[in-house]
Structures are given as structure tokens and as C-alpha cells.
Amino acid sequence: MSDFDPLYTAAETRAAEAGHDVDVLMERAGAAAAQVGLQVFADAERWTFVCGGGANGGDGRIAARHVEAAGKQVTIVDTKAGESDLGDPHVIVDALFGTGFAGEPRPEAAALIERINGSGANVLAIDLPSGVDASTGEVATVAVTAVETVTFHGRKVGLIVSPGRLHAGTIHVADIGLTQAPTDVRSATPALLRSVPRRHEGDNKYTAGHVLVVGGSRGLTGAPSLSALAAMRADAGYVTVAAPESAMAVLEERLVEAVKRPLPDEGGVVAAGTAGIVRQLAAKASAVALGPGLGRGRGPQELVRELATTLELPMVIDADALFELEPASWPAPRVLTPHEGELARLLGRESREIAAHRIASVREAAERFACVVVLKGADTLVAAPGANLLVSALGLPSLATAGTGDVLTGVIAAFLAKGMDAQLAAVAGAAAQQRASVEAEQRTGLIASDVIEALPRALR
């Protein structure tokens, strides 16, 4: 297994198909879609195929022929002819729009999509759900919500990146005889974690990676604790936590293995003028995690500005350290790890706009801030200026819980401390965190600490 799988845009799909007999490809695609549908919905008797006028509709008609040959009752809705009666099917096969679709569906098509979604039938999408942009995952207005999707040659970007991924259901990839080719967007596989350096004979606690976590404030001691614990479980050899004096008692109780260093305190947050102290603490560190639980105010803002722009160490900047962060000439690699709301503030947008345009947003941020930007989510996107976009989508919905962002910060910091390239460390950190959600005990109420405990198994 390779470290990354290709994710295809519409243009890359067309390039892969160039020079092949279109009719042959359609026969293969239609047969593959029918095979998957008959396997997944073996007991379904009534099938409705909604077929558009393009190649996707052709795939649907061929699939309908195979399903009918299997003894099922088949109805074909030809949208080009103006038909729209779905009947009362057990399964609706969506072959309305294909990979080349972009923008908004016309009103009549949008209404048909709404009827498909409201039918109560199981929906099988051919290639990708109609209304989803294959190249970005964007949904302009409405899109089919499928239970299963059969896609051909390789997964499309729009099947993995939200909001498109939320419409795809279970994805099946069918080989139709095309050659794999490099793509602009690539998806991490669990094999990527083999590239993370491990402690080996001859290492000491410093050469195995020394992470300095700078954060914490009164009432926000959990965040730096989680980042520190995650860095240790991600195989960092040494972790130091620098936090305001008022946070020390809690940190001493929570963190046994980490070294704690108090910072001047003003009202429960770090006081102004403490950057010099942190620089001294960073003298032996190999990476910094800046921001977990740091709080806001003059002291924290000054500390972030001075450390981010002067400290010559790889740095993860997260949480409160992202507040009012401005582009700068960084002295060493920087990794920003915003969620959609934080990225919206960085770009001067609304959160809903970031959610609707995840790829465009994270790429814009990477160029504007001239560093690696990680847009967190079920499909975590990792962009770097002038580089391929990397995606990690290996986790479970249980990761949607407080504290998992702090875990990710600690893991990425540990990987940076081991000398990994910033973008690779970021995507590997996301993959490790997501795989830990799979390795953790599967129970209701998964918490961030459960993910931390499972990190060694994910990295094994």
C-alpha cells in the first residue's frame, strides 16, 4: 500500500479516459454499477433509474439493462425527455449528472433531486451523487444523498471532501481499465504512518524529539495537558509545558512525565513581556506547540506575535494563538491548525462560506500566510504554498468531541520535533489521530483522552 491514494478531479478523469473507446468504458461502468447494486440491495425488487442525457445517463441505462436481466422490475426515468415520475421503487439509481457537473442544477433538475431525497428509497449514485462538484466537493444548492456510490477508476475529490462526502454514503471503486496517474489532490492511507520516525537505539530523550507546549490559562488547563500527553504518546522523548503560574497546580496534578515551567501571570493569563523567558525554555526544544488554552488579551497576543515571528523552531499554531494572527515572514516552518470558524476569522469570512468551499479556503490561507494550513474536519485538508493538497479522512465520527484539536496539535508537534517536513508531519498527525479513533475502544462517549491512549496502537 502506498502512503497516498489519488483523488481525481473532473479534468484528471477526462485525461485518464482520453484515447479509450467511450462505448467500451460505459459498458464496463454500467455493468460494475449493476453488480454493486445487486450485491448491496439483493432483496430489492423495484428499481428506478434516473438517467440524464450525458455519459452518466448512459452508464445508468446500461446498469438498468443488467439489473433487469437479473429479474428485477426496472423503470427508467429519462430526464432528457422530460420524464420525472419515480414510481414506488425500493432502489433509486442516480445517473442524472456525471463527473463533469459543476455549478447549480437547473430548477427542474433540482426539484427532481429533492424528490429523490424525499422518496424514502435507498439511493445508489453512479460515479458521484448528482449536484456534487467532482473536483471540489462543493454543493451549490441541492445534491442527491446516496446510501451507496459506485465510482469508476478512482475516488473523486468530491466524494472525500465535504460537503460532497456527506452525500456519498459508502463508496465502491470499480476498475474499468484506465491507467492510474498523478493527481493534484491525494488522500492519506494508514501506510503513511510508517514514515513517522520512531525512537531507536542510540536516541536519548532530546534526540527523540523535545516538544515545548506554550499555553494554558486559568480555567483552560485541559488543552495544554491534552497536547502534552498526545505529544508523548506520539513518541516525543521530552515534553515541556510553559504556562502561567496560576495554571501550575493543575498541570502538576495532571502531567507526571512532562516538565512544567511557570510563566509570569496577569489575571490568569500569561503576562506581557514573557517571550524572552519562553525563548530560554525553547533553547533545547526541537518544536513548539503554541496556543492550546492560552487565552486572550494583551499578554497572550504579544507572546504569540513575538514567538511566531522570531523563534527559529518548527511551530504548530493553534486555538487562541490563531486569534488575530497576521501573515508574516516566518523564521522556520509554521503549521496553522484552524477549524472552520477559526479559518473564517483568519480570512475575514463567514464560517458557512469556509464549510461550503473547503479546498479553496485552505489553499487561500496557505498562500496568504505562506505556511502549512490544516483545515480540521472529518476530511482534514493540509495545504502548503505551491504544493499538492493532502487529505486525511481515516477517522470515525466519534472524533467530533472537545479536545481532539488539542490532541492533533500535540501529535503534529511531536512529528515536527522528529524532523519531519511540515506538510508531511501535519497530514501524518491527522492520520495518526484519526486512526487512533478507530483503535480506541468503541464506546458511546469517546473523549479526547481515549484517543491519546490509542495513539501508540495507531502508530504501531
Side-chain angles (χ1 to χ4, degrees):
M1 179 185 288
S2 64
D3 290 353
F4 294 94
D5 285 338
L7 295 179
Y8 289 88
T9 63
E12 289 163 346
T13 300
R14 287 193 297 271
E17 294 172 347
H20 292 266
D21 188 308
V22 174
D23 292 335
V24 171
L25 294 180
M26 288 176 62
E27 285 290 339
R28 292 172 181 168
Q35 181 181 23
V36 170
L38 290 168
Q39 288 174 346
V40 174
F41 305 116
D43 296 332
E45 292 299 322
R46 298 189 302 276
W47 296 61
T48 293
F49 289 75
V50 180
C51 300
N56 195 245
D59 296 342
R61 292 178 180 85
I62 292 168
R65 188 181 73 221
H66 285 275
V67 170
E68 190 170 40
K72 307 296 184 178
Q73 180 182 330
V74 168
T75 299
I76 295 179
V77 174
D78 186 348
T79 62
K80 190 175 182 181
E83 298 173 358
S84 61
D85 184 6
L86 299 175
D88 183 27
H90 298 123
V91 176
I92 294 176
V93 178
D94 166 30
L96 182 56
F97 301 137
T99 302
F101 171 83
E104 297 183 15
R106 293 178 178 177
E108 59 273 17
L112 182 56
I113 288 172
E114 296 280 19
R115 288 201 296 276
I116 291 172
N117 288 341
S119 67
N122 289 310
V123 178
L124 171 68
I126 292 185
D127 216 11
L128 75 162
S130 293
V132 173
D133 188 312
S135 302
T136 64
E138 295 179 6
V139 175
T141 52
V142 296
V144 167
T145 300
V147 177
E148 313 278 335
T149 296
V150 184
T151 198
F152 311 114
H153 178 51
R155 291 179 298 170
K156 310 305 183 291
V157 175
L159 295 174
I160 304 303
V161 176
S162 296
R165 69 175 285 114
L166 305 178
H167 292 261
T170 301
I171 300 168
H172 308 263
V173 179
D175 182 4
I176 57 172
L178 302 178
T179 302
Q180 296 286 333
T183 58
D184 180 54
V185 183
R186 297 184 293 159
S187 181
T189 74
L192 171 64
L193 299 179
R194 295 181 305 202
S195 66
V196 177
R198 306 296 202 274
R199 271 179 268 183
H200 54 77
E201 187 174 359
D203 264 334
N204 59 48
K205 59 189 177 183
Y206 294 110
T207 61
H210 178 183
V211 173
L212 172 62
V213 178
V214 183
S217 56
R218 186 181 299 150
L220 295 175
T221 54
S225 298
L226 291 170
S227 294
L229 288 166
M232 288 186 278
R233 291 298 187 189
D235 203 45
Y238 197 100
V239 174
T240 300
V241 180
E245 177 71 42
S246 60
M248 278 295 116
V250 177
L251 293 174
E252 288 283 9
E253 181 70 24
R254 291 181 61 103
L255 299 173
V256 176
E257 295 87 354
V259 174
K260 280 75 65 179
R261 291 290 183 259
L263 299 176
D265 191 313
E266 184 176 343
V269 299
V270 64
T274 59
I277 299 173
V278 178
R279 280 198 201 90
Q280 292 176 5
L281 296 175
K284 290 186 177 181
S286 40
V288 176
L290 177 62
L294 185 65
R296 298 178 186 175
R298 187 172 70 93
Q301 189 172 351
E302 177 191 286
L303 181 66
V304 169
R305 183 174 59 250
E306 294 194 23
L307 293 182
T309 58
T310 65
L311 203 57
E312 296 181 0
L313 287 173
M315 182 180 294
V316 186
I317 303 176
D318 185 33
D320 290 324
L322 294 169
F323 185 69
E324 296 186 352
L325 186 72
E326 296 181 353
S329 177
W330 314 115
R334 298 291 183 257
V335 178
L336 313 186
T337 57
H339 54 57
E340 288 172 352
E342 290 165 335
L343 187 57
R345 286 195 297 271
L346 289 172
L347 295 178
R349 308 277 170 74
E350 296 291 330
S351 294
R352 62 178 177 271
E353 185 176 352
I354 304 300
H357 309 285
R358 284 176 62 81
I359 288 179
S361 298
V362 73
R363 281 186 151 153
E364 178 184 348
E367 293 298 331
R368 180 181 298 187
F369 285 86
C371 66
V372 174
V373 178
V374 178
L375 178 53
K376 294 183 284 197
D379 52 303
T380 293
L381 310 183
V382 183
N388 295 108
L389 181 71
L390 304 179
V391 182
S392 186
L394 301 172
L396 298 176
S398 54
L399 275 175
T401 185
T404 52
D406 303 308
V407 173
L408 179 61
T409 294
V411 177
I412 295 174
F415 293 173
L416 288 172
K418 290 175 175 292
M420 293 185 72
D421 164 80
Q423 189 183 22
L424 193 59
V427 72
Q433 182 212 42
Q434 291 167 352
R435 289 301 300 171
S437 75
V438 176
E439 292 288 345
E441 181 182 348
Q442 299 305 303
R443 57 186 174 188
T444 302
L446 183 86
I447 61 175
S449 296
D450 298 330
V451 178
I452 291 172
E453 290 302 315
L455 279 170
R457 296 194 294 278
L459 290 169
R460 183 178 56 203

